[in-house]
């Protein structure tokens, strides 16, 4: 059996530069990954897919699931029989802007590659990831990087490893498609250069305004995080999860305690950047 972590993804910055004729958007985004997330367990056996974990009830094991799509894509690409038992432990909220299904699909590809003795840098594996979704290549890479194009063109970066991070989700799901439709269409400029934290601080998330219009509680989360004096607080992806970075773990823990005391129903995750 292979146990593979599907780390939560955050967008330290997310700049939408243009709408494309193919229906996608031209992006510049700064990816980072946590040391916590969902888990994929895969072992040879009669083909099956089950889901457990705190957020497992919100997903179906049948239909258009990215994990099963990743399995099928891998099997077709590498010409193997899709005879594997797959268990997804869903620890992250669904439709929350922190990778989720993309990270699960990427973890499935990595686990299958290890089981079949295929190098993780095999370009065919990246092609599988790219076909599954715009965030899947970054989740397959699993390290800080600037993503351009749809987000699939990746330039790895160093920095911020071990930085304490707090994720907060107010318990609402927002539609990625609806958030992108709400983007105002104005290019506010590119991502800068320099140390990773400086790039992030100088950046922005262009999807935050339309996401807040759809779910005003996102603004409440960001206001609450700002009061904890983080080095950076921002919404991730298309929302509704927000994150904050801190100088040390004690600051992060105090912030988490304050958030939980304010609204115990909000989901919080204390972690560090990988």
């Amino acid at each position: 059996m292979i146990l593979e972590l599907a780390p939560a993804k955050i967008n330290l910055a997310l700049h939408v530069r243009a709408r494309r004729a193919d229906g996608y958007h031209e992006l510049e985004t700064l990816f980072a990954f946590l040391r916590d997330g969902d888990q994929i367990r895969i072992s040879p056996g009669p083909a099956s897919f089950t889901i457990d974990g705190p957020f497992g009830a919100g997903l179906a094991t049948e239909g258009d699931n990215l994990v099963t799509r990743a399995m099928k894509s891998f099997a077709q690409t590498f010409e193997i029989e899709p005879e594997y038992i797959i268990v997804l432990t869903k620890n992250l909220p669904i439709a929350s802007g922190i990778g989720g299904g993309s990270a699960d699909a990427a973890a499935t590809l990595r686990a299958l590659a290890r089981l079949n003795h295929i190098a993780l840098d095999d370009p065919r594996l990246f092609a599988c990831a790219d076909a599954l979704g715009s965030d899947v290549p970054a989740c397959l890479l699993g390290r800080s990087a600037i993503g351009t194009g749809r987000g699939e063109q990746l330039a790895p970066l160093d920095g911020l490893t071990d930085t304490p991070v707090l994720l907060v989700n107010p318990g609402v799901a927002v539609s990625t498609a609806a958030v992108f439709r709400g983007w105002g269409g104005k290019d506010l400029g590119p991502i800068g250069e320099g140390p990773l934290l400086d790039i992030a601080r100088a950046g922005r998330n262009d999807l935050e305004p339309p996401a807040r219009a759809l779910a005003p509680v996102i603004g409440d989360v960001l206001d609450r995080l700002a009061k904890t004096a983080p080095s950076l607080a921002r919404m991730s992806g298309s929302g509704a999860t927000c994150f904050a970075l801190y100088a040390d773990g004690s600051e992060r823990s105090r912030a988490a305690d304050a958030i939980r005391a304010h609204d115990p129903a909000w989901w919080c995750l204390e972690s560090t950047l990988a």
Side-chain angles (χ1 to χ4, degrees), residues 6-25:
K9 172 272 305 178
I10 59 174
N11 301 87
L12 297 173
L14 201 173
H15 297 186
V16 185
R17 305 298 306 279
R19 290 189 175 94
R20 296 176 14 168
D22 61 4
Y24 290 98
H25 290 73

Side-chain angles (χ1 to χ4, degrees), residues 81-98:
E81 290 298 322
E83 294 298 318
Y84 291 94
I85 301 165
I86 304 177
V87 180
L88 165 63
T89 299
K90 194 67 186 167
N91 298 315
L92 303 176
I94 298 164
S96 58
I98 51 175

Side-chain angles (χ1 to χ4, degrees), residues 10-13 30-35 143-145 157-165 194-201 231-232 243 245-247 271-274:
I10 59 174
N11 301 87
L12 297 173
L30 189 54
F31 291 110
F33 291 86
L34 277 61
R35 287 200 169 94
R143 57 168 296 186
S144 298
L157 295 172
D158 293 320
L160 298 184
T161 299
D162 297 325
T163 297
V165 59
L196 190 52
L197 184 56
D198 291 348
I199 298 174
R201 283 173 167 163
S231 56
L232 176 68
F243 67 88
L245 306 182
Y246 296 91
S271 188
T272 55
L273 295 184

Side-chain angles (χ1 to χ4, degrees), residues 6-9 38 40 49 59 64-70 88 90-110 129 132-137 139-140 176:
K9 172 272 305 178
D38 296 337
I40 289 284
F49 175 50
L59 288 176
D64 190 27
N65 185 285
L66 274 171
V67 169
T68 54
R69 287 172 58 193
L88 165 63
K90 194 67 186 167
N91 298 315
L92 303 176
I94 298 164
S96 58
I98 51 175
S102 296
D104 299 339
T108 301
L109 293 175
R110 286 195 301 270
L132 290 167
S134 297
D135 279 352
V136 183
C139 292
L140 181 66
T176 297

Side-chain angles (χ1 to χ4, degrees), residues 87-234:
V87 180
L88 165 63
T89 299
K90 194 67 186 167
N91 298 315
L92 303 176
I94 298 164
S96 58
I98 51 175
S102 296
D104 299 339
T108 301
L109 293 175
R110 286 195 301 270
L112 288 168
R114 290 192 169 104
L115 278 168
N116 290 276
H117 309 291
I118 293 166
L120 295 181
D121 60 357
D122 190 309
R124 294 171 295 174
L125 203 62
F126 178 88
C128 287
D130 189 33
L132 290 167
S134 297
D135 279 352
V136 183
C139 292
L140 181 66
L141 180 66
R143 57 168 296 186
S144 298
I146 289 181
T148 55
R150 294 182 288 112
E152 86 287 4
Q153 299 171 27
L154 301 168
L157 295 172
D158 293 320
L160 298 184
T161 299
D162 297 325
T163 297
V165 59
L166 175 64
L167 298 188
V168 181
N169 185 288
V172 298
V174 290
S175 163
T176 297
V179 171
F180 270 101
R181 283 196 299 270
W183 175 60
K186 184 177 181 181
D187 181 358
L188 298 178
I191 282 179
E193 299 179 350
L196 190 52
L197 184 56
D198 291 348
I199 298 174
R201 283 173 167 163
R204 60 189 186 273
N205 186 339
D206 289 334
L207 298 181
E208 183 186 316
R212 290 177 66 156
L214 290 168
V217 70
I218 293 171
D220 297 337
V221 173
L222 289 168
D223 290 345
R224 186 60 52 176
L225 284 172
K227 293 178 180 178
T228 67
S231 56
L232 176 68
R234 188 163 285 156

